[in-house]
Amino acid sequence: KKFEVKIDDNDVLAVAKDATRDQFAQYGMANVPEDLLENYAKEMLKKKENVDGLVNRAIESKLAVALKEQISLDEKTISLDEFNKMFQ
């Protein structure tokens, strides 16, 4: 709410298309036509168990963008020993 992160059906469809594109890529199928991706994505959205995960992914994606806009990094170079001490 604080960052006004909202998703709509188009956001979820875009995530479904990305997931579909990734699945095709696993089988070596790149450059899949857009209409085919959209058809498969819409089929994914017909199953409740898929929708919940896709909605969560859409929220996480938009939230990450919103959070990155709110923070700034203070980068500095440290030694390996200093890095390891951060996790003890």
Side-chain angles (χ1 to χ4, degrees), residues 8-61:
D8 59 23
D9 292 343
N10 291 329
D11 296 319
V12 179
L13 179 60
V15 170
K17 285 170 64 174
D18 287 342
T20 301
R21 188 177 292 111
D22 292 344
Q23 287 177 346
F24 278 114
Q26 287 178 346
Y27 295 103
M29 298 171 65
N31 302 320
V32 177
E34 192 68 22
D35 60 330
L36 187 61
L37 285 176
E38 188 150 341
N39 288 339
Y40 272 90
K42 286 180 179 178
E43 286 299 315
M44 285 177 68
L45 293 171
K46 289 181 180 178
K47 297 180 182 175
K48 173 73 171 135
E49 64 269 13
N50 293 336
V51 173
D52 292 340
L54 294 168
V55 167
N56 286 336
R57 286 173 59 181
I59 292 169
E60 289 168 3
S61 177

Side-chain angles (χ1 to χ4, degrees), residues 75-88:
E75 294 183 23
K76 67 179 186 176
T77 303
I78 61 173
S79 70
L80 179 60
D81 288 337
E82 290 171 314
F83 179 79
N84 287 332
K85 286 179 184 178
M86 293 170 61
F87 298 100
Q88 294 178 354

